[in-house]
């Protein structure tokens, strides 16, 4: 695949510069924001199951300490390098600012193809990775809090929390050292699907703005919109599921092994079951196979959701993309050059550091839960239910009409943890979308949504650095 000639971190910075030019901040202050504060590259040995020893390369980057802890996922991929973790850490800083999560940005990674390691090997290297971070003070509830990313999930987070708390057993808030954990290890309901749910909320909200849809030549509303999703991991799988639930028509899916396309729509649950059974998307009944996976992105659709990796839509393939809207489920899937090409064609891009922020937002809720040691909704759920019942009783008395048991049960529900998490997620994503549109519109054609999201983040971080001053 032809990558654009500049690195991922340079691309993020190019987008930053474009937005910074629309602000009035001092160049010195902008330089402080843009720079990556710390990068730790380390190696350690792993004994493979067959007795061979391998040297593992790992990184953790903390981009900005204007708010602590820093926060960002851990990625297991052969593409991990210093530039990538710095770029992803920077995106985390801007992402947290856009959705008002009070953290700085960070990212970590181990350069491996996780599919070629056994579960025991992955456990050994995850625990060692955590141990190395502890040694250098690069992890902790108030320091730097990792989460899942490409190639990692709740299982790896459980190994990390276990290793961290074994090394610091007296730390009362130790479980807050990492988020995205299994529920039994201090995780929060709704975190696993939060990023995909957030991407779907954002897509739906964008489709509801009639003025923007008109400019794209589309009718308002998500119902009936044709969607292609790339990557069926944590983000892509949940995005596809929620978009279908809300009435979108899934016409294409793209994975490692190739892509499938059916203009009449794919039954996502059946495709998922087919892939579990055959280990491949290909040969799904009724759909056309596309052997070159990148060509899957170029098929007819209204909305494209790249949710696999960075650099998927470049200057080379951008002219062949037919979607009118691209929602960046992955971090950095559209290069800055490709963004320009697509903008010239009027394609609406909903940028990564807003679109996929649902994950870090719910991670923030998990962190709060861990610090308070109590499940959200535990104390008020029953109280709320009883209050609603009292209101319904009053209405019955006043109207002399009785509600049915079912009506009472439906109306008198207190919020549990999942309700509260999903409510906080939806409210934040929807509110932020309208703020970004407003910033874009204020800049009279000089800003797209990506630039607007950078302007929003830069303004918020700048105030923070100005208030803090420079130490010493
Ligand atoms: P994942 O490992 O769960 O899934 C990635 C999926 O992409 C896998 O199914 C893999 O087979 C597929 N894939 C890999 N390379 C591909 C290619 N070239 N073409 C098509 N498919 C390919 O990872 P994830 O957590 O879903 O992360 C995906 C992206 O979303 C990454 O950019 C990540 O940084 C970003 N992201 C993740 C989260 C999160 O909460 N997990 C939050 C925000 C952003």
């Amino acid at each position: 695949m032809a990558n654009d000639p500049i690195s991922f971190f340079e691309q993020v910075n190019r987008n930053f510069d474009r937005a910074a030019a629309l602000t009035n901040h001092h160049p010195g202050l902008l330089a402080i924001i843009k720079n990556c504060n710390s990068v730790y590259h380390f190696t350690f040995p792993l004994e493979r199951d067959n007795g061979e020893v391998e040297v593992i390369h790992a990184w953790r980057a903390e981009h900005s300490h204007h708010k602590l802890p820093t926060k960002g996922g851990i990625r297991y991929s052969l593409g991990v390098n210093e530039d990538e973790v710095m770029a992803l850490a920077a995106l985390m800083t801007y992402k947290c600012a856009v959705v008002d999560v009070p953290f700085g940005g960070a990212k970590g990674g181990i350069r491996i193809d996780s599919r070629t390691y056994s579960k025991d090997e992955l456990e050994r290297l995850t625990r060692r990775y955590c141990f190395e971070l502890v040694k250098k003070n690069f992890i902790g509830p108030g320091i730097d809090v990792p989460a899942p990313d490409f190639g990692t999930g709740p299982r790896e987070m459980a190994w990390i929390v276990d290793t961290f708390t074994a090394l610091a057993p007296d730390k009362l808030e130790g479980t807050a050292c990492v988020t995205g954990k299994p529920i039994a290890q201090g995780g929060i309901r709704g975190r696993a699907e939060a990023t995909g749910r957030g991407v779907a909320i954002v897509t739906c909200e964008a489709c509801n703005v009639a003025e923007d849809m008109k400019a794209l030549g589309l009718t308002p509303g998500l119902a009936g919109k044709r969607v292609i999703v790339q990557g069926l991991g944590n983000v892509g799988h949940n995005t596809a599921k929620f978009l279908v639930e809300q009435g979108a028509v899934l016409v294409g899916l793209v994975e490692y092994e190739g892509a499938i396309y059916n203009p009449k729509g794919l039954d996502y649950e059946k495709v998922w079951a087919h892939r579990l059974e055959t280990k491949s998307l290909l040969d799904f009944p009724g759909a056309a196979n596309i052997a070159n996976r990148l060509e899957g992105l170029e098929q007819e659709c209204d909305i494209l959701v790249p949710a696999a990796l960075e650099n998927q839509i470049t200057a080379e393939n951008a002219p062949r993309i037919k979607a009118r809207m691209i929602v960046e489920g992955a971090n950095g899937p559209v290069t800055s050059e490709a963004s320009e090409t697509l903008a010239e064609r009027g394609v609406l891009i909903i940028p990564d550091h807003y679109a996929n922020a649902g994950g870090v937002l719910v991670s923030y809720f998990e962190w709060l839960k861990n610090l308070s040691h109590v499940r959200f909704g535990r104390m008020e759920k029953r109280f709320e239910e009883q209050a609603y019942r009292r209101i319904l009783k009053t209405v019955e008395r006043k109207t002399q009409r009785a509600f049915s048991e079912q009506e009472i049960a439906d109306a008198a529900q207190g919020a549990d943890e999942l309700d509260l998490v999903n409510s906080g997620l939806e409210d934040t994503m929807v509110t932020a979308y309208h703020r970004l549109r407003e910033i874009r519109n204020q800049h009279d054609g000089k800003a797209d949504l990506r630039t607007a999201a950078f302007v929003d983040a830069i303004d918020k971080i700048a105030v923070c650095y100005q208030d803090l001053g420079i130490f010493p």
Side-chain angles (χ1 to χ4, degrees):
M1 186 192 61
N3 282 346
D4 286 12
I6 65 170
S7 79
F8 189 10
F9 191 41
E10 284 169 328
Q11 289 187 40
V12 173
N13 287 338
R14 192 194 266 193
N15 290 329
F16 177 100
D17 290 340
R18 200 173 288 146
L22 300 178
T23 69
N24 296 318
H25 302 296
H26 189 278
L29 180 58
L30 291 167
I32 297 175
I33 299 174
K34 192 163 120 178
N35 237 33
C36 184
N37 291 3
S38 350
V39 191
Y40 178 32
H41 173 203
F42 49 106
T43 60
F44 55 83
L46 169 76
E47 188 175 342
R48 304 279 319 239
D49 292 342
N50 63 7
E52 295 288 322
V53 172
E54 192 177 312
V55 174
I56 301 289
H57 284 259
W59 286 262
R60 184 78 187 165
E62 292 172 357
H63 173 261
S64 176
H65 295 110
H66 70 291
K67 285 194 188 286
L68 287 173
T70 53
K71 183 103 190 69
I74 299 176
R75 173 174 288 203
Y76 289 178
S77 147
L78 285 176
V80 172
N81 58 44
E82 183 161 318
D83 181 84
E84 187 185 68
V85 289
M86 290 199 312
L88 291 166
L91 282 175
M92 284 304 299
T93 295
Y94 308 128
K95 191 180 301 187
C96 289
V98 168
V99 292
D100 294 325
V101 166
F103 295 150
K107 203 76 171 197
I110 303 185
R111 188 190 288 160
I112 53 159
D113 177 352
S114 56
R115 293 169 306 172
T116 60
Y117 290 79
S118 71
K119 179 169 170 274
D120 286 351
E121 288 169 340
L122 289 171
E123 178 170 354
R124 286 201 290 281
L125 64 83
T126 302
R127 287 183 181 278
R128 179 64 184 259
Y129 178 78
C130 175
F131 175 79
E132 296 294 332
L133 294 182
V134 169
K135 270 197 336 199
K136 294 281 184 194
N137 226 10
F138 263 74
I139 186 170
I143 299 169
D144 186 353
V145 181
D149 192 74
F150 188 92
T152 61
R155 180 183 68 175
E156 285 74 16
M157 303 307 117
W159 291 331
I160 290 176
V161 73
D162 186 59
T163 309
F164 183 86
T165 48
L167 293 167
D170 56 340
K171 260 204 166 77
L172 187 60
E173 73 284 18
T175 47
C177 74
V178 67
T179 59
K181 301 178 290 287
I183 305 291
Q185 304 306 325
I188 194 165
R189 286 159 189 83
R191 171 60 183 93
E193 61 273 30
T195 310
R197 184 185 279 275
V199 173
I201 290 170
V202 164
T203 310
C204 193
E205 198 59 25
C207 288
N208 285 341
V209 181
E211 187 190 333
D212 289 356
M213 289 303 106
K214 193 170 171 208
L216 297 176
L218 298 173
T219 52
L222 181 65
K225 294 260 177 330
R226 299 163 306 157
V227 180
I228 295 178
V229 176
Q230 180 199 33
L232 296 183
N234 177 288
V235 180
H237 167 64
N238 287 301
T239 301
K241 224 177 63 182
F242 290 122
L243 285 177
V244 169
E245 260 177 42
Q246 291 176 58
V249 180
L250 202 58
V251 290
L253 289 166
V254 186
E255 254 293 341
Y256 265 126
E257 62 271 16
I260 54 170
Y261 185 77
N262 184 347
K264 293 195 188 119
L266 298 159
D267 182 328
Y268 185 62
E269 287 200 0
K270 287 194 179 143
V271 178
W272 184 251
H274 168 83
R275 188 164 189 254
L276 283 182
E277 192 188 322
T278 66
K279 308 275 174 263
S280 173
L281 277 182
L282 301 176
D283 301 326
F284 180 71
N289 284 339
I290 301 166
N292 178 345
R293 60 186 181 223
L294 274 179
E295 282 176 19
L297 306 178
E298 300 167 13
Q299 307 304 307
E300 278 292 344
C301 67
D302 302 310
I303 303 169
L304 174 61
V305 184
L309 277 177
E310 59 266 24
N311 287 338
Q312 298 302 297
I313 302 167
T314 63
E316 194 273 322
N317 63 357
R320 299 191 296 279
I321 297 292
K322 301 195 180 63
R324 300 299 296 143
M325 243 173 101
I326 298 178
V327 188
E328 294 185 328
N331 287 310
V334 181
T335 66
S336 60
E337 277 194 17
S339 285
E340 284 166 25
T341 310
L342 292 162
E344 280 163 19
R345 287 180 28 218
V347 176
L348 178 72
I349 301 181
I350 307 195
D352 45 8
H353 65 290
Y354 159 63
N356 68 36
V360 72
L361 179 68
V362 176
S363 274
Y364 167 48
F365 299 157
E366 180 176 332
W367 182 80
L368 292 173
K369 175 186 182 181
N370 295 154
L371 295 186
S372 65
H373 297 264
V374 63
R375 184 182 76 234
F376 289 109
R378 180 167 180 182
M379 291 169 75
E380 56 273 48
K381 184 172 190 290
R382 189 161 291 257
F383 178 82
E384 280 175 5
E385 282 174 4
Q386 285 164 353
Y388 297 145
R389 278 176 189 276
R390 282 197 298 275
I391 294 170
L392 292 174
K393 281 274 169 240
T394 309
V395 175
E396 279 181 337
R397 262 200 316 277
K398 293 275 178 199
T399 60
Q400 310 263 315
R401 284 181 59 191
F403 292 109
S404 70
E405 276 304 311
Q406 190 55 51
E407 282 169 334
I408 293 174
D410 289 345
Q413 269 185 38
D416 61 20
E417 183 170 84
L418 186 60
D419 296 323
L420 292 167
V421 163
N422 287 342
S423 161
L425 173 64
E426 186 173 349
D427 185 57
T428 305
M429 299 310 286
V430 169
T431 308
Y433 188 66
H434 293 286
R435 192 174 58 248
L436 298 189
R437 278 195 77 246
E438 212 175 292
I439 297 173
R440 177 192 69 181
N441 295 349
Q442 279 162 6
H443 285 284
D444 232 2
K446 289 199 205 100
D448 54 12
L449 282 177
R450 189 188 310 282
T451 303
F454 269 97
V455 168
D456 187 39
I458 291 170
D459 283 345
K460 289 171 178 168
I461 301 166
V463 168
C464 203
Y465 273 121
Q466 269 163 344
D467 290 346
L468 293 171
I470 295 176
F471 176 82

